[in-house]
Amino acid sequence: MAAAKAGKLALKMKKYVDRVLAAKRAAKFADKVTETGEDLAARRAALAAYR
């Protein structure tokens, strides 16, 4: 009986952990997408220096 409850609890916890990890990945992606024009200009200049 206790093992069944522990299994159910583990599944619930996994669901919430997966949601948190997905939110973390989405936030990281959003940070990359919302770079300012200055950030993009600096990156473009850095890439041009390698050519």
Side-chain angles (χ1 to χ4, degrees):
M1 191 69 151
K5 286 185 179 182
K8 286 182 182 180
L9 177 61
L11 288 175
K12 283 184 181 180
M13 289 181 70
K14 182 185 180 319
K15 181 172 72 172
Y16 291 113
V17 168
D18 289 343
R19 286 182 183 175
V20 169
L21 291 176
K24 186 177 175 182
R25 283 190 298 268
K28 189 174 181 181
F29 177 74
D31 284 343
K32 288 183 180 180
V33 171
T34 58
E35 291 179 342
T36 64
E38 293 172 0
D39 294 337
L40 293 174
R43 182 176 288 174
R44 188 176 293 130
L47 289 173
Y50 287 114
R51 291 183 182 179

